[in-house]
Amino acid sequence: MSSQIPWLTAIILFPLLASFAIPLIPDREGKTIRWYALGVGLIDLVLTIVCFWTNYNLNDSTFQLAETYSWIPQLGLNWSVAVDGLSMPLIVLTGFVNTLAILASWRVTNKPRLFYFLLLVLYSAQMGVFAAQDLLLFFLMWELELVPVYILISIWGGAKRLYAATKFILYTALGSIFILVAALAMAFYGSNLSFDISTLAHKNYPLALELFLYAGFLIAFAVKLPIFPLHTWLPDAHSEASAPVSMILAGVLLKMGGYGLIRMNMEMLPNAHLYFAPILAILGVVNIVYGALSAFAQDNLKRRLACSSISHMGFVLLGIASLTELGLNGAVLQMISHGLIAAMLFFLAGVTYERTHTLSMSKLGGMAKDMPKVFALFTAGSMASLALPGMSGFVGELTIFLGITTSDIYSSNFKIVVIGLAAVGLILTPIYLLNLLRVVFYGENSGGFNIEKYLGDAKPREVMIATCLLLPIIGIGLYPKVATQTYDVKTVEVASQVREIFPVFAQQQRGSVLYSGGFVAPKIAPETSVEALLPTNDSNA
């Protein structure tokens, strides 16, 4: 009976449909509306967990809970949704972070109806991106989430909110055009017109076309991830966005870029991925080192955390480029881990801003004495971000390093350079995070802030939000299987799919300084028996 319930459609559309009731709710101060929005978020999160707990098979790598309805047949557009190991954990992460972001918005008094309406619309759009199995539907959901973020930053942001919001919409909207172009090219290629992702993945594209499609998707996802040099919108957006919006930006939106790279680029275009993989590895290293170095130059607390996110998402690129099951497994784990850690740190940065009305680290200082709870939670989040053993950040980055180190795809010289530069990022990360803690919580209070004059230390609601994010961070760090079992089967399948076609590719790339010459599958003549390959006891052998 449960298999007949349109679970995914309900999960995706429930927040959207519920948002349209907000203008009808009698409420002047926004208190009823915020409880209503929180209730919608909690119901959808519980519905998501119940759905996957009762109907999702962790040992099945294929798409599950598939639902397809004809929507606009003239355009070949179907409402087609399903989940697998790549999308299922990210959908749970989306529901979890968005619900906590709604709870973190408790003090919003400016246009609360519009604010919570936009949060619920954004909630639905993000769910739709991860569940869409129609490439045109994927594009529509991708575009839908841009509008709420733009409005949320431009109305409830800081002093430079219009600049940050405009920069965000220009970068992401222009990048999205490449998704549409690539989707149309894939759909119209061949005899049958289709936007179904599974159908498109089985088409045999000419190599030149596949490289073109890969480049188009890469540009779009590079903006969202973000990848240097298309990253400059992120620090501006974070520094001006309110804390709940920053939680969603860092916790979910960046993961859409990583998800797209694995789903569209690696899984659907494996031949092109072999050509682009070294480029991704180089870009990943640039992200790691550049993001870490940029963080040192930031006086704005949220800009420093934003640059830290750029650095950490470089590890996702490195895992995707490793072409190993272990590396890809680590990339997905890093996305989940960073979603939790970044959401926690940006929320605590917002808590600090509410009490001091500044994000300038040079004006902050001595906060540990007045805000011991915030200090303790901020320290825990920073330890997770710098990959302290026992926390999720350590497991994700270690797995990626093992994946690229043990990769038999790349040459030894290439791996030495990549791993050496990535290790520099690992060294820089604890330096700028510990410096942040020292300046903000133990430095000189040059701003002359009296915390008691404002809100004092973290309130129970704020402690609960940070703790809800910290618990899974520690849980995954101590027992990674909690997360990895949800996608293990899928990442092995995707990595194996690419590795199966590598022997032919390797023969074409003989002499390349990037690839290993040793990973070439032996060719066995059809008439050769297995026994002929075994050693013989013949003395003349």
Side-chain angles (χ1 to χ4, degrees):
M1 182 65 181
S2 60
S3 61
Q4 299 176 359
I5 300 175
W7 286 102
L8 292 180
T9 299
I11 290 170
I12 296 169
L13 294 182
F14 175 65
L16 178 63
L17 296 177
S19 67
F20 292 114
I22 288 181
L24 306 177
I25 299 175
D27 186 14
R28 291 185 177 181
E29 299 179 357
K31 294 181 179 180
T32 304
I33 293 172
R34 69 190 185 190
W35 279 107
Y36 173 79
L38 179 60
V40 171
L42 285 172
I43 291 173
D44 202 65
L45 176 60
V46 171
L47 189 65
T48 302
I49 295 173
V50 171
C51 167
F52 294 148
W53 185 270
T54 58
N55 297 279
Y56 187 83
N57 182 4
L58 296 176
N59 298 316
D60 187 356
S61 64
T62 61
F63 288 111
Q64 304 177 49
L65 299 168
E67 302 165 16
T68 303
Y69 308 99
S70 179
W71 188 7
I72 308 177
Q74 294 84 353
L75 299 178
L77 176 60
N78 297 315
W79 177 269
S80 179
V81 292
V83 292
D84 62 358
L86 292 180
S87 52
M88 189 274 277
L90 294 177
I91 287 177
V92 175
L93 176 69
T94 299
F96 186 61
V97 172
N98 275 269
T99 301
L100 290 177
I102 294 173
L103 185 58
S105 310
W106 226 238
R107 296 180 61 82
V108 171
T109 56
N110 179 27
K111 297 180 174 62
R113 291 182 188 274
L114 180 59
F115 185 88
Y116 289 108
F117 170 82
L118 293 172
L119 283 187
L120 292 180
V121 173
L122 182 58
Y123 194 140
S124 281
Q126 293 167 343
M127 290 287 197
V129 167
F130 293 124
Q133 291 306 302
D134 184 285
L135 200 48
L136 200 54
L137 177 63
F138 174 87
F139 170 75
L140 292 176
M141 290 294 181
W142 186 278
E143 289 291 282
L144 178 60
E145 56 86 19
L146 301 182
V147 179
V149 176
Y150 170 76
I151 300 175
L152 286 167
I153 296 176
S154 60
I155 295 180
W156 291 273
K160 298 181 180 179
R161 57 186 180 274
L162 292 179
Y163 169 78
T166 303
K167 194 172 184 179
F168 164 80
I169 199 70
L170 286 176
Y171 268 73
T172 51
L174 290 175
S176 301
I177 295 175
F178 291 92
I179 297 179
L180 180 60
V181 172
L184 292 173
M186 296 178 76
F188 282 97
Y189 179 79
S191 57
N192 60 323
L193 173 64
S194 175
F195 288 97
D196 181 71
I197 288 179
S198 298
T199 302
L200 296 177
H202 288 88
K203 285 187 176 182
N204 292 319
Y205 305 99
L207 180 59
L209 177 59
E210 190 166 329
L211 291 172
F212 169 78
L213 297 172
Y214 192 104
F217 282 126
L218 178 59
I219 293 172
F221 301 141
V223 173
K224 188 73 76 175
L225 192 62
I227 300 175
F228 177 90
L230 302 176
H231 67 287
T232 58
W233 64 270
L234 185 67
D236 292 312
H238 271 306
S239 63
E240 300 304 322
S242 61
V245 178
S246 285
M247 290 173 65
I248 298 173
L249 268 175
V252 181
L253 260 68
L254 304 190
K255 313 308 171 288
M256 290 164 55
Y259 170 79
L261 281 175
I262 300 174
R263 174 71 74 205
M264 310 301 172
N265 294 66
M266 187 173 186
E267 186 176 14
M268 296 178 64
L269 305 168
N271 293 290
H273 184 66
L274 291 172
Y275 285 89
F276 276 91
I279 299 175
L280 293 183
I282 295 170
L283 289 174
V285 170
V286 171
N287 258 45
I288 293 170
V289 178
Y290 172 82
L293 290 174
S294 297
F296 279 106
Q298 307 304 322
D299 178 63
N300 185 291
L301 177 58
K302 292 179 72 174
R303 289 184 73 93
R304 176 167 290 200
L305 295 177
C307 290
S308 175
S309 292
I310 295 172
S311 180
H312 283 89
M313 296 311 289
F315 285 101
V316 175
L317 276 177
L318 205 57
I320 296 173
S322 70
L323 300 174
T324 62
E325 293 89 347
L326 196 60
L328 186 58
N329 188 297
V332 179
L333 183 58
Q334 176 74 352
M335 287 195 288
I336 298 171
S337 170
H338 180 265
L340 297 168
I341 296 171
M344 178 180 177
L345 290 176
F346 278 107
F347 168 70
L348 292 172
V351 172
T352 304
Y353 176 78
E354 285 185 347
R355 283 146 176 82
T356 61
H357 300 287
T358 183
L359 290 170
S360 174
M361 294 171 54
S362 61
K363 295 181 180 179
L364 297 171
M367 299 296 173
K369 179 180 178 181
D370 296 314
M371 297 192 300
K373 295 177 184 177
V374 174
F375 169 61
L377 292 169
F378 215 120
T379 301
S382 299
M383 294 301 106
S385 184
L386 61 81
L388 182 74
M391 293 188 167
S392 59
F394 172 78
V395 183
E397 293 182 11
L398 176 63
T399 307
I400 291 171
F401 261 92
L402 290 176
I404 191 69
T405 303
T406 60
S407 176
D408 49 6
I409 301 293
Y410 298 110
S411 66
S412 298
N413 291 335
F414 182 76
K415 287 194 295 184
I416 290 172
V417 174
V418 168
I419 295 169
L421 292 176
V424 173
L426 283 182
I427 297 172
L428 294 176
T429 302
I431 297 176
Y432 69 72
L433 284 175
L434 292 176
N435 173 262
L436 181 154
L437 293 174
R438 180 186 63 80
V439 172
V440 173
F441 294 100
Y442 282 105
E444 181 182 354
N445 188 349
S446 60
F449 298 112
N450 182 1
I451 300 301
E452 296 298 330
K453 179 181 176 182
Y454 295 100
L455 301 173
D457 202 2
K459 307 302 181 185
R461 174 183 59 86
E462 296 166 331
V463 173
M464 184 185 72
I465 293 172
T467 303
C468 286
L469 291 164
L470 180 61
L471 289 178
I473 291 172
I474 297 175
I476 294 173
L478 296 177
Y479 190 64
K481 191 176 179 180
V482 172
T484 59
Q485 65 180 346
T486 62
Y487 59 81
D488 263 338
V489 177
K490 184 63 181 181
T491 52
V492 169
E493 179 189 82
V494 174
S496 299
Q497 174 186 343
V498 178
R499 292 174 67 85
E500 284 177 1
I501 63 177
F502 183 76
V504 176
F505 174 81
Q507 291 186 350
Q508 300 172 351
Q509 300 294 320
R510 284 188 179 278
S512 171
V513 297
L514 300 178
Y515 300 98
S516 169
F519 185 71
V520 180
K523 294 185 176 181
I524 303 174
E527 64 275 6
T528 304
S529 64
V530 175
E531 290 78 6
L533 300 176
L534 298 176
T536 176
N537 292 326
D538 191 349
S539 59
N540 295 325

